[in-house]
Amino acid sequence: MTRQPPTLEDVAREAGVSRATVSRVINGIRNVDPAIQDVVRGVIERTGYTPNSAARSLVTRRAETIALVVAGAGDDGSGDSGGEGTAFAAQVFADPFFGRVVDGVITFLRPRSMHPVLMFAESSAARREVVAYLRQGRADGALIFSTHAEDPLPALLAAEGLPCVLFARPGDAAPVSYVDLAHQDGGRLAAEHLLDRGCRQIATVTGPLSLPAAQDRLTGFRDAVARRGHPCVPFAEGGFTHDSGAAATARLLREHPGIDGLFAANDLMAQGACQVLREHGKRVPQDVAVVGFDDSATARACRPRLTTVRQPMEDMAATMARVLQEHIEGARTEPTSVIFEPRLVVRESA
Amino acid sequence: MTRQPPTLEDVAREAGVSRATVSRVINGIRNVDPAIQDVVRGVIERTGYTPNSAARSLVTRRAETIALVVAGAGDDGSGDSGGEGTAFAAQVFADPFFGRVVDGVITFLRPRSMHPVLMFAESSAARREVVAYLRQGRADGALIFSTHAEDPLPALLAAEGLPCVLFARPGDAAPVSYVDLAHQDGGRLAAEHLLDRGCRQIATVTGPLSLPAAQDRLTGFRDAVARRGHPCVPFAEGGFTHDSGAAATARLLREHPGIDGLFAANDLMAQGACQVLREHGKRVPQDVAVVGFDDSATARACRPRLTTVRQPMEDMAATMARVLQEHIEGARTEPTSVIFEPRLVVRESA
DNA sequence: ATGAAAGCGCTAACAT
DNA sequence: ATGTTAGCGCTTTCAT
């Protein structure tokens, strides 16, 4: 029979004051006699008292928790496909990109003693679960990372008036805040670097073109190249995965064996591209220069090390958390957007 | 002024029954007239009622949440070093290994509508935070993944009687449940494969030898090799990171240029090893066969694809969640341990 | 500056 | 089978 943990009541009795006073001391509210404060703090220390957070949330209506949701495709119009986990998680975390996101989020949350709950919204059942979670007050808001455009989740949340902030501009112009990168500028940076290096036949492996981000990187790249006198750029669509990058590069090479410069829309694909190039007897960067995107851990780990367009993921994620917090506190009522600038990191591949 | 969300009371009034009855319907408790059930469900549907989870937790004393904690070194005896995030997160997620963990955990949690809160415990302040979190009742238990042995966290939790399950046997024999891999068998698998392949001069790049897992992999490897007539095996200690694997391999090569078989204690290091070998003009696997460990995403992504010892991470993580759940429910009171068997996955590197 | 008292929304005995 | 009642542990007016 382990004894019940002490409550506010216990502390109050022990300290010879009222619950209200103890509560004030705990929440750092002014107007409490310093002497009493000491007594109370002493009792708290001695008893090892910890406030019960359910009781507190019940009255403050705050969970001090936010949902960190990774949203994917999957529209299984069906009802609740129920249980079973999801290789989706492993897939998402395979791109080290997400580690930097978590890092940025934690940096903001920790000093405010808020905490992130990890959620996946890859099916309509899972999306409903996210909405329910917030409506139950288990989280005060959501940070959403969609791997596909046309994600229905933001609109669902907006319709319920639940605070949320997206990573990347929503496809359907839902009225929600978002943080994004100037992807076109990123594409331009890559193009100019390849051009400046003297590449004459350049091509690009894009991300899924249903994603605005992938579109924009392509557009920025293409425009910059056109501005330098190359009217059309061969491209092949990939899926932001290692294997899709390799496959796309193989296709590109079949049509255009003379390529000497390649821009892959993320590092994973750039790595796949380098491998295929090598298999085709091309040296990187001597025969073909390759530029990636993101600057994820893999960019430094592979050989040659990747020259890449870096997104300041940590800052972007922390900013998302900050904006979300403003919405939660009511300090901000209208949706806003914050756009970050990418920068080129030159290593060995180009 | 947005209207308050409906409460149980509202639903009860609307349905013409008592709160208790509505509560019974929601919690699926028998002994409720089917007709009434329908009415109640109708009202819930119409009003969009969602139970407030703080209120529920207050009485059930369950948060339906577990802490997913990644614990690291850092003993800053100092007080609260306070705020600031941690590149620790990015570092941890850089090993795709963790994605599989999340996958396994979610698989178990989701059907039980429990949720994971992500926490990092890399400093003593952060460890205290984890303990406080559980004591506040914000999570019902913790799943702990330590990157270093001698982690003080398990003992702290055990001392408070807070439910937790570790990944890997604790260094200090804290009285807590854990799930682990038969690392020695893994080392043996790697050794036998290299030997069967005909390697004559084999060596190994170990993990941090302060970690029991790294020790065991080495021991299993060494014993198996000895059993086949090779009394001593050269080894170099790494740190489970890509770069440390590369560095350790370089050292090994300096002393033993004739190596023709190499076992790296994880895939990240195996990848680093392959790169260094190539730089030394050695082909993998023709000149040197390389075996990794984990079977993380990188094993399939790098070239040559890694032959590696697979840990069933998803199953292990799901098992951790199951055991934790048993502790939380009180269905299990004594600590237990579950050991999984590794298996060899043969690809191209050996 | 401090205390008394009224809930927050829910579950769980207990009574019927 | 359903309703009544008593809290769960905390914050927060409102008095004093």
Side-chain angles (χ1 to χ4, degrees):
Chain A
M1 210 77 236
T2 138
R3 192 155 65 264
Q4 300 256 33
T7 70
L8 198 63
E9 175 88 52
D10 298 328
V11 175
R13 191 173 343 95
E14 197 98 346
V17 299
S18 71
R19 298 203 310 259
T21 299
V22 178
S23 177
R24 290 188 185 106
V25 171
I26 289 172
N27 297 302
I29 292 181
R30 76 266 112 222
N31 294 348
V32 182
D33 186 308
I36 293 194
Q37 290 199 27
D38 286 349
V39 174
V40 170
R41 268 194 261 275
V43 175
I44 289 179
E45 180 80 10
R46 260 199 309 104
T47 57
Y49 167 74
T50 314
N52 176 298
S53 103
R56 191 200 294 250
S57 286
L58 185 54
V59 31
T60 61
R61 293 169 170 295
R62 280 285 157 66
E64 306 288 299
T65 295
I66 63 134
L68 190 59
V69 4
V70 182
D75 300 277
D76 70 311
S78 80
D80 40 3
S81 66
E84 290 327 284
T86 159
F88 184 59
Q91 194 181 318
V92 168
F93 287 95
D95 191 330
F97 160 101
F98 201 69
R100 295 176 57 199
V101 166
V102 172
D103 202 337
V105 170
I106 296 276
T107 300
F108 181 87
L109 258 29
R110 186 174 264 185
R112 293 166 180 75
S113 49
M114 298 200 60
H115 297 266
V117 168
L118 205 47
M119 303 189 77
F120 293 91
E122 79 291 1
S123 68
S124 72
R127 278 189 284 275
R128 280 201 301 276
E129 208 205 319
V130 172
V131 173
Y133 196 83
L134 295 188
R135 293 201 46 199
Q136 290 164 17
R138 298 179 68 175
D140 304 320
L143 254 24
I144 303 183
F145 297 82
S146 294
T147 60
H148 296 265
E150 313 305 335
D151 179 5
L153 186 56
L156 288 178
L157 293 173
E160 300 269 5
L162 297 168
C164 70
V165 176
L166 311 192
F167 180 77
R169 165 165 45 87
D172 55 1
V176 298
S177 290
Y178 66 86
V179 169
D180 208 343
L181 186 79
H183 297 284
Q184 299 207 10
D185 288 344
R188 180 175 50 71
L189 249 28
E192 288 171 354
H193 183 70
L194 290 173
L195 258 11
D196 289 346
R197 244 184 154 272
C199 297
R200 316 296 306 157
Q201 291 196 46
I202 65 189
T204 176
V205 170
T206 73
L209 292 176
S210 58
L211 273 186
Q215 278 284 1
D216 291 352
R217 289 176 197 180
L218 171 58
T219 304
F221 183 75
R222 193 148 46 183
D223 290 356
V225 173
R227 222 171 295 131
R228 300 269 283 253
H230 300 263
C232 56
V233 178
F235 72 91
E237 184 173 357
F240 278 158
T241 64
H242 175 273
D243 292 348
S244 70
T249 304
R251 269 177 277 140
L252 230 30
L253 240 30
R254 210 169 301 133
E255 302 278 313
H256 311 272
I259 287 171
D260 62 356
L262 183 68
F263 166 49
N266 80 350
D267 292 336
L268 249 30
M269 297 197 299
Q271 191 190 354
C274 288
Q275 291 164 356
V276 167
L277 287 169
R278 197 174 308 122
E279 286 161 13
H280 280 69
K282 315 248 186 200
R283 294 165 304 164
V284 176
Q286 298 87 336
D287 302 325
V288 183
V290 176
V291 175
F293 207 106
D294 284 351
D295 194 23
S296 52
T298 203
R300 292 192 338 104
C302 66
R303 293 297 177 278
R305 276 175 277 261
L306 294 175
T307 286
T308 187
V309 177
R310 179 179 175 87
Q311 325 198 35
M313 283 307 314
E314 296 86 347
D315 292 349
M316 293 173 75
T319 298
M320 288 175 69
R322 178 175 58 69
V323 172
L324 180 60
Q325 170 76 332
E326 292 168 0
H327 280 304
I328 290 171
E329 284 176 345
R332 179 189 296 283
T333 52
E334 294 308 305
T336 184
S337 60
V338 183
I339 313 297
F340 281 74
E341 281 300 324
R343 88 190 155 70
L344 188 75
V345 176
V346 179
R347 295 210 180 82
E348 305 159 1
S349 70
Chain B
M1 208 81 235
T2 137
R3 192 155 64 263
Q4 300 256 32
T7 71
L8 197 64
E9 175 87 52
D10 298 328
V11 175
R13 189 174 342 97
E14 197 99 346
V17 297
S18 72
R19 297 201 312 257
T21 298
V22 178
S23 177
R24 290 186 184 105
V25 171
I26 290 171
N27 297 303
I29 293 182
R30 76 269 106 231
N31 294 346
V32 181
D33 187 308
I36 293 194
Q37 291 199 27
D38 286 349
V39 174
V40 171
R41 268 193 261 276
V43 175
I44 289 179
E45 180 80 12
R46 258 198 310 103
T47 57
Y49 168 73
T50 313
N52 176 299
S53 103
R56 192 201 293 250
S57 287
L58 186 54
V59 32
T60 62
R61 293 169 168 297
R62 281 286 157 67
E64 306 288 300
T65 295
I66 62 135
L68 190 60
V69 5
V70 182
D75 300 278
D76 69 311
S78 79
D80 40 2
S81 66
E84 290 326 284
T86 160
F88 183 61
Q91 192 182 321
V92 168
F93 286 94
D95 191 329
F97 159 104
F98 201 70
R100 294 176 57 201
V101 166
V102 172
D103 203 338
V105 170
I106 296 276
T107 300
F108 181 88
L109 258 30
R110 187 174 263 186
R112 294 166 179 75
S113 47
M114 298 200 61
H115 297 265
V117 167
L118 204 48
M119 302 189 77
F120 294 92
E122 80 290 3
S123 68
S124 72
R127 278 188 285 276
R128 280 201 301 277
E129 208 204 322
V130 172
V131 173
Y133 196 83
L134 295 187
R135 293 200 48 201
Q136 290 164 15
R138 298 180 68 174
D140 303 321
L143 255 25
I144 303 185
F145 297 82
S146 293
T147 60
H148 296 265
E150 313 306 335
D151 180 5
L153 187 56
L156 288 179
L157 293 172
E160 301 269 5
L162 297 168
C164 69
V165 176
L166 310 192
F167 180 77
R169 165 164 46 84
D172 55 1
V176 298
S177 290
Y178 64 88
V179 170
D180 209 343
L181 186 80
H183 297 285
Q184 300 206 10
D185 289 343
R188 181 176 50 71
L189 250 27
E192 288 171 355
H193 182 70
L194 290 173
L195 258 12
D196 289 347
R197 242 182 156 275
C199 297
R200 317 295 306 157
Q201 291 197 46
I202 65 189
T204 176
V205 171
T206 74
L209 292 176
S210 59
L211 272 186
Q215 278 285 0
D216 292 352
R217 289 176 197 178
L218 170 59
T219 304
F221 183 76
R222 193 147 51 181
D223 290 356
V225 173
R227 221 172 295 130
R228 300 270 281 256
H230 301 262
C232 55
V233 179
F235 72 90
E237 184 174 356
F240 278 157
T241 63
H242 175 274
D243 292 348
S244 71
T249 303
R251 268 178 278 142
L252 230 30
L253 241 28
R254 211 169 300 134
E255 301 279 313
H256 312 272
I259 287 170
D260 62 357
L262 183 70
F263 167 48
N266 80 350
D267 291 336
L268 248 31
M269 296 196 299
Q271 192 190 353
C274 290
Q275 290 164 357
V276 167
L277 287 168
R278 197 173 308 119
E279 286 162 12
H280 281 70
K282 315 248 185 200
R283 293 164 306 163
V284 178
Q286 298 89 334
D287 302 323
V288 184
V290 175
V291 175
F293 207 107
D294 283 350
D295 194 22
S296 52
T298 203
R300 292 194 336 104
C302 66
R303 291 298 177 278
R305 276 175 276 260
L306 294 176
T307 287
T308 188
V309 177
R310 180 180 175 87
Q311 324 197 36
M313 283 308 314
E314 296 85 348
D315 293 349
M316 294 173 74
T319 298
M320 288 176 68
R322 178 175 58 68
V323 172
L324 180 61
Q325 170 76 333
E326 293 168 359
H327 280 303
I328 291 171
E329 284 176 344
R332 179 189 296 284
T333 52
E334 293 308 304
T336 186
S337 59
V338 183
I339 312 297
F340 282 74
E341 281 299 325
R343 87 188 156 70
L344 188 74
V345 177
V346 179
R347 297 209 178 83
E348 305 159 0
S349 70

